[in-house]
C-alpha cells in the first residue's frame, strides 16, 4: 500500500476505535447510573422492571453488580477513546491489557461453568444462603428483588423456606415468612410451613428458587452463549485494533 493509503486506513481504524469506545463509555455510564438508582431507590426500579426480574441476577445484589460492571466499562471506554484520539501508546497498552484480563477471566469462568457445574452450584448456594439470612428484610433493594422473584417463580428462599429463618425479616415480623412463601396466606409462620412441608397442598410454595433459576438459565443458555460469543468476538477485535494502532504509531 502507498503511504497515503496506509494513512487513510490508520485514520479510518482510529475513528472506528474512538466511536466504538465512546459507545462503551456511554453504556458503562448508563449501567453505573442504573446501579446507583437500584441502590438508592430499588422499589421504584422494581415497579418498572418487576416483570423482567426472573433472571440469575436475582441471586446477587443487582445494584453492586451493575455499579462494578458500569465502572469497568467506563474505564475501558475512556482508555480506548483517549488512547486512539491522543494516539497515546501508554493508554492503548493499558486498554489492551484490561480487555485481555477480562477476556481471560471470561474464558476461565466459562471453563469452570462447563467442567465444574456441580462445584459452581455448591459455591452459589454457599454464597447466597448466608446473604439471605443476613440481608433479607434489612437491605431493601435485595428484599424487594427476592420478594418479586419468589412471587413470580412460585418458590421460597434459595434451597427452601428455612433459608429465611432467623433473617432480619423473620425476626422483625414476629417469626413469620414473607407472604409468597405461603402463596400470600397470612400469617405465614413456622407451624404452617412445617405442616405444609409434609404435604402436597397446592396452595403453598415451599420449594426453593434454586432449581427454577437453573432451569431458566438452561432454557436461555443458547441466547446467553450467543451473547457471550459476540462479546468475546468484540473483545478480540478491540485488542487487535488497539495493537494495530499501537504498532502503527512507531511508523508515524
Amino acid at each position: 500500500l502507498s503511504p497515503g493509503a496506509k494513512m487513510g486506513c490508520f485514520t479510518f481504524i482510529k475513528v472506528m476505535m474512538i466511536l466504538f469506545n465512546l459507545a462503551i463509555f456511554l453504556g458503562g455510564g448508563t449501567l453505573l447510573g442504573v446501579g446507583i438508582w437500584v441502590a438508592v431507590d430499588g422499589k421504584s426500579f422494581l415497579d418498572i422492571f418487576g416483570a423482567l426480574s426472573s433472571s440469575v441476577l436475582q441471586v446477587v445484589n443487582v445494584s453492586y453488580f451493575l455499579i462494578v460492571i458500569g465502572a469497568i466499562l467506563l474505564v475501558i471506554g475512556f482508555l480506548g477513546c483517549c488512547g486512539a484520539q491522543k494516539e497515546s501508546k501508554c493508554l492503548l497498552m493499558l486498554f489492551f491489557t484490561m480487555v485481555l484480563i477480562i477476556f481471560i477471566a471470561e474464558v476461565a469462568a466459562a471453563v469452570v461453568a462447563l467442567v465444574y457445574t456441580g462445584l459452581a452450584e455448591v459455591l452459589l448456594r454457599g454464597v447466597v444462603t448466608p446473604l439471605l439470612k443476613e440481608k433479607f428484610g434489612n437491605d431493601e433493594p435485595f428484599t424487594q428483588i427476592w420478594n418479586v422473584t419468589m412471587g413470580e417463580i412460585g418458590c421460597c428462599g434459595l434451597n427452601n423456606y428455612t433459608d429465611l429463618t432467623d433473617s432480619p425479616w423473620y425476626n422483625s415480623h414476629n417469626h413469620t415468612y414473607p407472604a409468597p412463601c405461603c402463596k400470600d396466606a397470612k400469617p405465614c409462620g413456622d407451624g404452617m410451613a412445617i405442616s405444609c412441608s409434609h404435604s402436597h397442598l397446592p396452595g403453598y410454595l415451599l420449594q426453593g428458587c434454586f432449581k427454577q433459576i437453573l432451569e431458566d438459565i438452561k432454557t436461555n443458555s443458547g441466547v446467553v452463549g450467543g451473547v457471550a460469543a459476540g462479546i468475546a468476538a468484540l473483545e478480540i477485535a478491540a485488542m487487535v485494533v488497539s495493537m494495530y494502532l499501537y504498532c502503527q504509531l512507531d511508523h508515524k
Side-chain angles (χ1 to χ4, degrees), residues 109-141:
V111 170
V112 170
L114 291 173
V115 179
Y116 301 104
T117 304
L119 177 61
E121 291 181 11
V122 171
L123 290 174
L124 186 59
R125 290 180 187 271
V127 170
V128 177
T129 303
L131 277 178
L132 281 170
K133 288 191 179 292
E134 177 187 348
K135 292 179 176 289
F136 190 82
N138 188 29
D139 185 316
E140 186 175 351

Side-chain angles (χ1 to χ4, degrees), residues 2 19 25 31 47 58-59 62 71 100 102 104 127 131 172 206 213 233 236 242:
S2 65
L19 293 176
F25 184 84
L31 287 180
D47 288 341
Q58 292 156 356
V59 300
V62 180
L100 179 61
I102 293 171
I104 293 172
V127 170
L131 277 178
S172 63
L206 296 174
I213 290 173
I236 292 172
S242 63

Side-chain angles (χ1 to χ4, degrees), residues 183-207:
K183 213 166 191 176
D184 296 328
K186 296 181 181 180
C188 184
D190 287 297
M192 181 183 292
I194 293 171
S195 65
C196 292
S197 65
H198 298 291
S199 68
H200 300 283
L201 296 177
Y204 300 101
L205 311 173
L206 296 174
Q207 70 272 23

Side-chain angles (χ1 to χ4, degrees), residues 224-238:
V224 173
V227 172
I231 292 173
L234 286 175
E235 289 170 343
I236 292 172

Side-chain angles (χ1 to χ4, degrees), residues 13 25 36 49 65 76 81 102 110 113 118 159 201-202 244:
I13 292 177
F25 184 84
I36 294 172
F49 298 104
F65 179 84
I76 290 176
C81 195
I102 293 171
N159 303 290
L201 296 177
Y244 171 81

Side-chain angles (χ1 to χ4, degrees), residues 58-64 127-147 163-172:
Q58 292 156 356
V59 300
V60 296
N61 195 314
V62 180
S63 59
Y64 296 154
V127 170
V128 177
T129 303
L131 277 178
L132 281 170
K133 288 191 179 292
E134 177 187 348
K135 292 179 176 289
F136 190 82
N138 188 29
D139 185 316
E140 186 175 351
F142 184 83
T143 304
Q144 288 284 345
I145 288 169
W146 267 95
N147 271 328
D163 290 342
L164 304 179
T165 304
D166 293 328
S167 65
W169 174 286
Y170 180 84
N171 292 326
S172 63

Side-chain angles (χ1 to χ4, degrees), residues 14 56 240:
K14 173 183 170 180
V56 70
V240 170

